[in-house]
Amino acid sequence: MINVLMVCLGNICRSPLAEGILKSKVNNELVYVDSAGTSSFHSGELPDRRSIQVARKYGIDITDQRSRLFKVTDFDKFDLIYVMDKSNYQNVINLARNEQDRVKVKLILKENPTASLHEVPDPYYDRELGFENVYKMLDASCEIIASNLNYVN
Ligand code: 4NP
């Protein structure tokens, strides 16, 4: 089993989409995917309705997800920790206990050599178009992550 964690700030907009998209592309008996936030502002809440809507538009249901806080023990449970932006990266790295923890943390868009950005913009205060763009960026990176993981498996 390979364990992959998607991380953003609130765990209601970006990382729930990343979780849902990657789950849809991998063999779920071989790859476990979860998501978390570096803040507890929205703990226990459903994903943002705009994330739910854009995922549904592409045939993915993310309404089983609830926001939770990233915790230090996630470094033990997960092999790969994908963050959405540099501020998430810093928040997670600040909790790392050693180099073994630190090497697990990666910017998700860096998996895609053709991506024009290195950070997934925070769509929280944006209109629906922001969520559509975020979906497409995450979909392209998750396609590459999934093919790498399936190769490993
Ligand atoms: P996310 O977006 O990190 O993609 O889930 C955000 C959601 C909520 C807040 C910030 C970002 N907030 O400040 O409440």
Side-chain angles (χ1 to χ4, degrees), residues 101-131:
D101 290 351
R102 281 189 281 274
V103 295
K104 295 179 176 182
V105 190
K106 299 164 192 291
L107 281 167
I108 193 167
L109 293 191
K110 287 210 174 167
E111 294 291 342
N112 178 6
T114 68
S116 49
L117 298 176
H118 284 156
E119 301 184 274
V120 184
D122 188 341
Y124 190 56
Y125 298 104
D126 208 329
R127 296 174 182 276
E128 316 298 322
L129 186 63
F131 283 76

PDB file of all heavy atoms in Angstrom, residues 101-131:
ATOM      1  N   ASP A 101      11.021  12.958   7.327  1.00  0.00           N
ATOM      2  CA  ASP A 101       9.728  13.640   7.197  1.00  0.00           C
ATOM      3  C   ASP A 101       9.776  14.649   6.060  1.00  0.00           C
ATOM      4  O   ASP A 101       8.867  14.714   5.220  1.00  0.00           O
ATOM      5  CB  ASP A 101       9.370  14.395   8.487  1.00  0.00           C
ATOM      6  CG  ASP A 101       9.017  13.488   9.657  1.00  0.00           C
ATOM      7  OD1 ASP A 101       8.883  12.261   9.445  1.00  0.00           O
ATOM      8  OD2 ASP A 101       8.882  14.017  10.784  1.00  0.00           O
ATOM      9  N   ARG A 102      10.835  15.438   6.037  1.00  0.00           N
ATOM     10  CA  ARG A 102      10.911  16.560   5.078  1.00  0.00           C
ATOM     11  C   ARG A 102      10.891  16.103   3.628  1.00  0.00           C
ATOM     12  O   ARG A 102      10.258  16.751   2.792  1.00  0.00           O
ATOM     13  CB  ARG A 102      12.178  17.397   5.340  1.00  0.00           C
ATOM     14  CG  ARG A 102      12.029  18.345   6.525  1.00  0.00           C
ATOM     15  CD  ARG A 102      13.204  19.319   6.635  1.00  0.00           C
ATOM     16  NE  ARG A 102      14.360  18.683   7.240  1.00  0.00           N
ATOM     17  CZ  ARG A 102      14.569  18.589   8.556  1.00  0.00           C
ATOM     18  NH1 ARG A 102      13.707  19.123   9.416  1.00  0.00           N
ATOM     19  NH2 ARG A 102      15.637  17.970   9.019  1.00  0.00           N
ATOM     20  N   VAL A 103      11.542  14.979   3.303  1.00  0.00           N
ATOM     21  CA  VAL A 103      11.609  14.564   1.893  1.00  0.00           C
ATOM     22  C   VAL A 103      10.259  14.097   1.351  1.00  0.00           C
ATOM     23  O   VAL A 103      10.088  13.973   0.147  1.00  0.00           O
ATOM     24  CB  VAL A 103      12.675  13.466   1.650  1.00  0.00           C
ATOM     25  CG1 VAL A 103      14.064  14.016   1.918  1.00  0.00           C
ATOM     26  CG2 VAL A 103      12.402  12.214   2.454  1.00  0.00           C
ATOM     27  N   LYS A 104       9.299  13.845   2.228  1.00  0.00           N
ATOM     28  CA  LYS A 104       7.972  13.404   1.780  1.00  0.00           C
ATOM     29  C   LYS A 104       7.117  14.552   1.235  1.00  0.00           C
ATOM     30  O   LYS A 104       6.116  14.315   0.574  1.00  0.00           O
ATOM     31  CB  LYS A 104       7.205  12.754   2.949  1.00  0.00           C
ATOM     32  CG  LYS A 104       7.845  11.469   3.440  1.00  0.00           C
ATOM     33  CD  LYS A 104       7.074  10.879   4.601  1.00  0.00           C
ATOM     34  CE  LYS A 104       7.700   9.541   5.006  1.00  0.00           C
ATOM     35  NZ  LYS A 104       6.962   8.898   6.103  1.00  0.00           N
ATOM     36  N   VAL A 105       7.513  15.788   1.547  1.00  0.00           N
ATOM     37  CA  VAL A 105       6.656  16.950   1.265  1.00  0.00           C
ATOM     38  C   VAL A 105       7.015  17.566  -0.077  1.00  0.00           C
ATOM     39  O   VAL A 105       8.168  17.952  -0.304  1.00  0.00           O
ATOM     40  CB  VAL A 105       6.790  18.008   2.389  1.00  0.00           C
ATOM     41  CG1 VAL A 105       5.735  19.094   2.223  1.00  0.00           C
ATOM     42  CG2 VAL A 105       6.685  17.359   3.772  1.00  0.00           C
ATOM     43  N   LYS A 106       6.017  17.646  -0.972  1.00  0.00           N
ATOM     44  CA  LYS A 106       6.264  18.156  -2.332  1.00  0.00           C
ATOM     45  C   LYS A 106       5.135  19.083  -2.766  1.00  0.00           C
ATOM     46  O   LYS A 106       3.976  18.855  -2.418  1.00  0.00           O
ATOM     47  CB  LYS A 106       6.313  16.988  -3.335  1.00  0.00           C
ATOM     48  CG  LYS A 106       7.405  15.973  -3.078  1.00  0.00           C
ATOM     49  CD  LYS A 106       7.094  14.684  -3.867  1.00  0.00           C
ATOM     50  CE  LYS A 106       7.960  13.524  -3.455  1.00  0.00           C
ATOM     51  NZ  LYS A 106       9.367  13.651  -3.812  1.00  0.00           N
ATOM     52  N   LEU A 107       5.511  20.075  -3.587  1.00  0.00           N
ATOM     53  CA  LEU A 107       4.497  20.929  -4.219  1.00  0.00           C
ATOM     54  C   LEU A 107       3.834  20.132  -5.346  1.00  0.00           C
ATOM     55  O   LEU A 107       4.520  19.640  -6.242  1.00  0.00           O
ATOM     56  CB  LEU A 107       5.145  22.183  -4.810  1.00  0.00           C
ATOM     57  CG  LEU A 107       5.482  23.313  -3.846  1.00  0.00           C
ATOM     58  CD1 LEU A 107       6.394  24.326  -4.536  1.00  0.00           C
ATOM     59  CD2 LEU A 107       4.218  24.011  -3.335  1.00  0.00           C
ATOM     60  N   ILE A 108       2.523  20.008  -5.302  1.00  0.00           N
ATOM     61  CA  ILE A 108       1.832  19.102  -6.240  1.00  0.00           C
ATOM     62  C   ILE A 108       2.031  19.505  -7.702  1.00  0.00           C
ATOM     63  O   ILE A 108       2.160  18.644  -8.574  1.00  0.00           O
ATOM     64  CB  ILE A 108       0.338  18.957  -5.874  1.00  0.00           C
ATOM     65  CG1 ILE A 108      -0.272  17.782  -6.646  1.00  0.00           C
ATOM     66  CG2 ILE A 108      -0.437  20.254  -6.088  1.00  0.00           C
ATOM     67  CD1 ILE A 108      -1.633  17.346  -6.137  1.00  0.00           C
ATOM     68  N   LEU A 109       2.094  20.800  -8.002  1.00  0.00           N
ATOM     69  CA  LEU A 109       2.212  21.199  -9.408  1.00  0.00           C
ATOM     70  C   LEU A 109       3.597  20.919  -9.979  1.00  0.00           C
ATOM     71  O   LEU A 109       3.775  20.862 -11.197  1.00  0.00           O
ATOM     72  CB  LEU A 109       1.851  22.673  -9.605  1.00  0.00           C
ATOM     73  CG  LEU A 109       0.389  23.055  -9.362  1.00  0.00           C
ATOM     74  CD1 LEU A 109       0.131  24.471  -9.847  1.00  0.00           C
ATOM     75  CD2 LEU A 109      -0.599  22.085 -10.013  1.00  0.00           C
ATOM     76  N   LYS A 110       4.591  20.724  -9.102  1.00  0.00           N
ATOM     77  CA  LYS A 110       5.939  20.415  -9.597  1.00  0.00           C
ATOM     78  C   LYS A 110       6.015  19.021 -10.199  1.00  0.00           C
ATOM     79  O   LYS A 110       6.988  18.688 -10.884  1.00  0.00           O
ATOM     80  CB  LYS A 110       6.970  20.588  -8.489  1.00  0.00           C
ATOM     81  CG  LYS A 110       7.215  22.056  -8.179  1.00  0.00           C
ATOM     82  CD  LYS A 110       8.632  22.304  -7.681  1.00  0.00           C
ATOM     83  CE  LYS A 110       8.894  23.791  -7.513  1.00  0.00           C
ATOM     84  NZ  LYS A 110      10.124  24.071  -6.756  1.00  0.00           N
ATOM     85  N   GLU A 111       4.990  18.179  -9.972  1.00  0.00           N
ATOM     86  CA  GLU A 111       4.956  16.863 -10.611  1.00  0.00           C
ATOM     87  C   GLU A 111       4.680  16.984 -12.108  1.00  0.00           C
ATOM     88  O   GLU A 111       4.917  16.054 -12.859  1.00  0.00           O
ATOM     89  CB  GLU A 111       3.878  15.972  -9.969  1.00  0.00           C
ATOM     90  CG  GLU A 111       4.162  15.616  -8.523  1.00  0.00           C
ATOM     91  CD  GLU A 111       5.358  14.673  -8.369  1.00  0.00           C
ATOM     92  OE1 GLU A 111       5.765  14.026  -9.347  1.00  0.00           O
ATOM     93  OE2 GLU A 111       5.886  14.595  -7.247  1.00  0.00           O
ATOM     94  N   ASN A 112       4.148  18.125 -12.512  1.00  0.00           N
ATOM     95  CA  ASN A 112       3.776  18.318 -13.914  1.00  0.00           C
ATOM     96  C   ASN A 112       4.764  19.276 -14.587  1.00  0.00           C
ATOM     97  O   ASN A 112       4.699  20.482 -14.372  1.00  0.00           O
ATOM     98  CB  ASN A 112       2.353  18.880 -13.987  1.00  0.00           C
ATOM     99  CG  ASN A 112       1.921  19.156 -15.413  1.00  0.00           C
ATOM    100  OD1 ASN A 112       2.626  18.827 -16.368  1.00  0.00           O
ATOM    101  ND2 ASN A 112       0.768  19.780 -15.563  1.00  0.00           N
ATOM    102  N   PRO A 113       5.669  18.737 -15.423  1.00  0.00           N
ATOM    103  CA  PRO A 113       6.692  19.600 -16.014  1.00  0.00           C
ATOM    104  C   PRO A 113       6.123  20.660 -16.956  1.00  0.00           C
ATOM    105  O   PRO A 113       6.790  21.650 -17.241  1.00  0.00           O
ATOM    106  CB  PRO A 113       7.595  18.621 -16.775  1.00  0.00           C
ATOM    107  CG  PRO A 113       6.842  17.362 -16.903  1.00  0.00           C
ATOM    108  CD  PRO A 113       5.811  17.325 -15.820  1.00  0.00           C
ATOM    109  N   THR A 114       4.881  20.480 -17.419  1.00  0.00           N
ATOM    110  CA  THR A 114       4.300  21.480 -18.333  1.00  0.00           C
ATOM    111  C   THR A 114       3.426  22.509 -17.613  1.00  0.00           C
ATOM    112  O   THR A 114       2.874  23.408 -18.248  1.00  0.00           O
ATOM    113  CB  THR A 114       3.468  20.798 -19.442  1.00  0.00           C
ATOM    114  OG1 THR A 114       2.310  20.203 -18.852  1.00  0.00           O
ATOM    115  CG2 THR A 114       4.268  19.734 -20.178  1.00  0.00           C
ATOM    116  N   ALA A 115       3.301  22.402 -16.301  1.00  0.00           N
ATOM    117  CA  ALA A 115       2.468  23.368 -15.557  1.00  0.00           C
ATOM    118  C   ALA A 115       3.106  24.752 -15.606  1.00  0.00           C
ATOM    119  O   ALA A 115       4.318  24.891 -15.475  1.00  0.00           O
ATOM    120  CB  ALA A 115       2.307  22.914 -14.110  1.00  0.00           C
ATOM    121  N   SER A 116       2.274  25.781 -15.798  1.00  0.00           N
ATOM    122  CA  SER A 116       2.832  27.136 -15.891  1.00  0.00           C
ATOM    123  C   SER A 116       3.006  27.771 -14.508  1.00  0.00           C
ATOM    124  O   SER A 116       3.708  28.765 -14.366  1.00  0.00           O
ATOM    125  CB  SER A 116       1.953  28.009 -16.783  1.00  0.00           C
ATOM    126  OG  SER A 116       0.617  27.889 -16.395  1.00  0.00           O
ATOM    127  N   LEU A 117       2.381  27.211 -13.494  1.00  0.00           N
ATOM    128  CA  LEU A 117       2.523  27.711 -12.119  1.00  0.00           C
ATOM    129  C   LEU A 117       3.147  26.630 -11.245  1.00  0.00           C
ATOM    130  O   LEU A 117       3.045  25.444 -11.556  1.00  0.00           O
ATOM    131  CB  LEU A 117       1.145  28.054 -11.529  1.00  0.00           C
ATOM    132  CG  LEU A 117       0.313  29.141 -12.192  1.00  0.00           C
ATOM    133  CD1 LEU A 117      -1.050  29.240 -11.500  1.00  0.00           C
ATOM    134  CD2 LEU A 117       1.033  30.473 -12.131  1.00  0.00           C
ATOM    135  N   HIS A 118       3.745  27.052 -10.122  1.00  0.00           N
ATOM    136  CA  HIS A 118       4.247  26.085  -9.147  1.00  0.00           C
ATOM    137  C   HIS A 118       3.324  25.977  -7.939  1.00  0.00           C
ATOM    138  O   HIS A 118       3.506  25.129  -7.079  1.00  0.00           O
ATOM    139  CB  HIS A 118       5.662  26.458  -8.694  1.00  0.00           C
ATOM    140  CG  HIS A 118       6.705  26.135  -9.709  1.00  0.00           C
ATOM    141  ND1 HIS A 118       7.922  26.765  -9.764  1.00  0.00           N
ATOM    142  CD2 HIS A 118       6.704  25.222 -10.710  1.00  0.00           C
ATOM    143  CE1 HIS A 118       8.627  26.271 -10.768  1.00  0.00           C
ATOM    144  NE2 HIS A 118       7.905  25.346 -11.366  1.00  0.00           N
ATOM    145  N   GLU A 119       2.330  26.879  -7.856  1.00  0.00           N
ATOM    146  CA  GLU A 119       1.424  26.884  -6.712  1.00  0.00           C
ATOM    147  C   GLU A 119      -0.021  26.862  -7.197  1.00  0.00           C
ATOM    148  O   GLU A 119      -0.371  27.549  -8.169  1.00  0.00           O
ATOM    149  CB  GLU A 119       1.626  28.144  -5.874  1.00  0.00           C
ATOM    150  CG  GLU A 119       3.038  28.308  -5.339  1.00  0.00           C
ATOM    151  CD  GLU A 119       3.147  29.524  -4.449  1.00  0.00           C
ATOM    152  OE1 GLU A 119       3.377  30.633  -4.973  1.00  0.00           O
ATOM    153  OE2 GLU A 119       2.972  29.365  -3.233  1.00  0.00           O
ATOM    154  N   VAL A 120      -0.859  26.108  -6.495  1.00  0.00           N
ATOM    155  CA  VAL A 120      -2.296  26.101  -6.801  1.00  0.00           C
ATOM    156  C   VAL A 120      -2.897  27.317  -6.113  1.00  0.00           C
ATOM    157  O   VAL A 120      -2.847  27.418  -4.885  1.00  0.00           O
ATOM    158  CB  VAL A 120      -2.980  24.822  -6.279  1.00  0.00           C
ATOM    159  CG1 VAL A 120      -4.446  24.806  -6.690  1.00  0.00           C
ATOM    160  CG2 VAL A 120      -2.257  23.566  -6.775  1.00  0.00           C
ATOM    161  N   PRO A 121      -3.465  28.269  -6.876  1.00  0.00           N
ATOM    162  CA  PRO A 121      -4.013  29.466  -6.246  1.00  0.00           C
ATOM    163  C   PRO A 121      -5.151  29.107  -5.303  1.00  0.00           C
ATOM    164  O   PRO A 121      -5.922  28.180  -5.571  1.00  0.00           O
ATOM    165  CB  PRO A 121      -4.536  30.303  -7.423  1.00  0.00           C
ATOM    166  CG  PRO A 121      -4.118  29.616  -8.662  1.00  0.00           C
ATOM    167  CD  PRO A 121      -3.662  28.241  -8.334  1.00  0.00           C
ATOM    168  N   ASP A 122      -5.235  29.840  -4.191  1.00  0.00           N
ATOM    169  CA  ASP A 122      -6.314  29.616  -3.234  1.00  0.00           C
ATOM    170  C   ASP A 122      -7.617  30.178  -3.816  1.00  0.00           C
ATOM    171  O   ASP A 122      -7.727  31.384  -4.022  1.00  0.00           O
ATOM    172  CB  ASP A 122      -5.965  30.329  -1.929  1.00  0.00           C
ATOM    173  CG  ASP A 122      -6.939  29.993  -0.823  1.00  0.00           C
ATOM    174  OD1 ASP A 122      -8.056  29.524  -1.127  1.00  0.00           O
ATOM    175  OD2 ASP A 122      -6.576  30.200   0.339  1.00  0.00           O
ATOM    176  N   PRO A 123      -8.580  29.322  -4.137  1.00  0.00           N
ATOM    177  CA  PRO A 123      -9.793  29.797  -4.803  1.00  0.00           C
ATOM    178  C   PRO A 123     -10.876  30.251  -3.827  1.00  0.00           C
ATOM    179  O   PRO A 123     -11.986  30.593  -4.231  1.00  0.00           O
ATOM    180  CB  PRO A 123     -10.275  28.554  -5.565  1.00  0.00           C
ATOM    181  CG  PRO A 123      -9.906  27.433  -4.653  1.00  0.00           C
ATOM    182  CD  PRO A 123      -8.638  27.858  -3.914  1.00  0.00           C
ATOM    183  N   TYR A 124     -10.554  30.278  -2.528  1.00  0.00           N
ATOM    184  CA  TYR A 124     -11.588  30.498  -1.502  1.00  0.00           C
ATOM    185  C   TYR A 124     -12.387  31.777  -1.740  1.00  0.00           C
ATOM    186  O   TYR A 124     -13.600  31.798  -1.583  1.00  0.00           O
ATOM    187  CB  TYR A 124     -10.941  30.529  -0.116  1.00  0.00           C
ATOM    188  CG  TYR A 124     -11.902  30.515   1.038  1.00  0.00           C
ATOM    189  CD1 TYR A 124     -12.849  29.500   1.191  1.00  0.00           C
ATOM    190  CD2 TYR A 124     -11.861  31.523   1.990  1.00  0.00           C
ATOM    191  CE1 TYR A 124     -13.711  29.486   2.264  1.00  0.00           C
ATOM    192  CE2 TYR A 124     -12.731  31.509   3.080  1.00  0.00           C
ATOM    193  CZ  TYR A 124     -13.653  30.491   3.209  1.00  0.00           C
ATOM    194  OH  TYR A 124     -14.504  30.489   4.278  1.00  0.00           O
ATOM    195  N   TYR A 125     -11.674  32.850  -2.140  1.00  0.00           N
ATOM    196  CA  TYR A 125     -12.349  34.132  -2.328  1.00  0.00           C
ATOM    197  C   TYR A 125     -12.645  34.417  -3.802  1.00  0.00           C
ATOM    198  O   TYR A 125     -12.971  35.539  -4.177  1.00  0.00           O
ATOM    199  CB  TYR A 125     -11.516  35.264  -1.724  1.00  0.00           C
ATOM    200  CG  TYR A 125     -11.340  35.089  -0.243  1.00  0.00           C
ATOM    201  CD1 TYR A 125     -10.144  34.635   0.291  1.00  0.00           C
ATOM    202  CD2 TYR A 125     -12.400  35.335   0.635  1.00  0.00           C
ATOM    203  CE1 TYR A 125      -9.983  34.441   1.656  1.00  0.00           C
ATOM    204  CE2 TYR A 125     -12.256  35.139   1.998  1.00  0.00           C
ATOM    205  CZ  TYR A 125     -11.047  34.696   2.500  1.00  0.00           C
ATOM    206  OH  TYR A 125     -10.904  34.494   3.850  1.00  0.00           O
ATOM    207  N   ASP A 126     -12.492  33.407  -4.650  1.00  0.00           N
ATOM    208  CA  ASP A 126     -12.635  33.593  -6.096  1.00  0.00           C
ATOM    209  C   ASP A 126     -14.047  33.182  -6.553  1.00  0.00           C
ATOM    210  O   ASP A 126     -14.832  32.632  -5.809  1.00  0.00           O
ATOM    211  CB  ASP A 126     -11.580  32.732  -6.803  1.00  0.00           C
ATOM    212  CG  ASP A 126     -11.179  33.310  -8.149  1.00  0.00           C
ATOM    213  OD1 ASP A 126     -12.020  33.955  -8.800  1.00  0.00           O
ATOM    214  OD2 ASP A 126     -10.016  33.094  -8.541  1.00  0.00           O
ATOM    215  N   ARG A 127     -14.317  33.450  -7.819  1.00  0.00           N
ATOM    216  CA  ARG A 127     -15.573  33.006  -8.409  1.00  0.00           C
ATOM    217  C   ARG A 127     -15.424  31.563  -8.896  1.00  0.00           C
ATOM    218  O   ARG A 127     -14.372  30.968  -8.799  1.00  0.00           O
ATOM    219  CB  ARG A 127     -15.946  33.915  -9.586  1.00  0.00           C
ATOM    220  CG  ARG A 127     -16.206  35.332  -9.137  1.00  0.00           C
ATOM    221  CD  ARG A 127     -16.428  36.213 -10.347  1.00  0.00           C
ATOM    222  NE  ARG A 127     -16.623  37.594  -9.924  1.00  0.00           N
ATOM    223  CZ  ARG A 127     -17.784  38.084  -9.535  1.00  0.00           C
ATOM    224  NH1 ARG A 127     -18.856  37.338  -9.546  1.00  0.00           N
ATOM    225  NH2 ARG A 127     -17.874  39.343  -9.165  1.00  0.00           N
ATOM    226  N   GLU A 128     -16.479  31.029  -9.477  1.00  0.00           N
ATOM    227  CA  GLU A 128     -16.503  29.626  -9.901  1.00  0.00           C
ATOM    228  C   GLU A 128     -15.350  29.306 -10.865  1.00  0.00           C
ATOM    229  O   GLU A 128     -14.820  28.217 -10.870  1.00  0.00           O
ATOM    230  CB  GLU A 128     -17.827  29.270 -10.588  1.00  0.00           C
ATOM    231  CG  GLU A 128     -19.072  29.798  -9.901  1.00  0.00           C
ATOM    232  CD  GLU A 128     -19.275  29.253  -8.498  1.00  0.00           C
ATOM    233  OE1 GLU A 128     -18.990  28.061  -8.286  1.00  0.00           O
ATOM    234  OE2 GLU A 128     -19.708  30.033  -7.622  1.00  0.00           O
ATOM    235  N   LEU A 129     -14.966  30.291 -11.683  1.00  0.00           N
ATOM    236  CA  LEU A 129     -13.900  30.063 -12.655  1.00  0.00           C
ATOM    237  C   LEU A 129     -12.613  29.643 -11.959  1.00  0.00           C
ATOM    238  O   LEU A 129     -11.844  28.828 -12.471  1.00  0.00           O
ATOM    239  CB  LEU A 129     -13.667  31.330 -13.486  1.00  0.00           C
ATOM    240  CG  LEU A 129     -12.676  31.172 -14.637  1.00  0.00           C
ATOM    241  CD1 LEU A 129     -13.188  30.160 -15.653  1.00  0.00           C
ATOM    242  CD2 LEU A 129     -12.420  32.514 -15.313  1.00  0.00           C
ATOM    243  N   GLY A 130     -12.365  30.207 -10.775  1.00  0.00           N
ATOM    244  CA  GLY A 130     -11.186  29.829 -10.002  1.00  0.00           C
ATOM    245  C   GLY A 130     -11.183  28.351  -9.698  1.00  0.00           C
ATOM    246  O   GLY A 130     -10.143  27.703  -9.790  1.00  0.00           O
ATOM    247  N   PHE A 131     -12.337  27.816  -9.373  1.00  0.00           N
ATOM    248  CA  PHE A 131     -12.429  26.392  -9.031  1.00  0.00           C
ATOM    249  C   PHE A 131     -12.230  25.518 -10.266  1.00  0.00           C
ATOM    250  O   PHE A 131     -11.635  24.449 -10.184  1.00  0.00           O
ATOM    251  CB  PHE A 131     -13.766  26.099  -8.336  1.00  0.00           C
ATOM    252  CG  PHE A 131     -13.766  26.556  -6.892  1.00  0.00           C
ATOM    253  CD1 PHE A 131     -13.891  27.902  -6.573  1.00  0.00           C
ATOM    254  CD2 PHE A 131     -13.607  25.636  -5.863  1.00  0.00           C
ATOM    255  CE1 PHE A 131     -13.855  28.319  -5.253  1.00  0.00           C
ATOM    256  CE2 PHE A 131     -13.576  26.048  -4.536  1.00  0.00           C
ATOM    257  CZ  PHE A 131     -13.697  27.398  -4.227  1.00  0.00           C
TER     258      PHE A 131
END
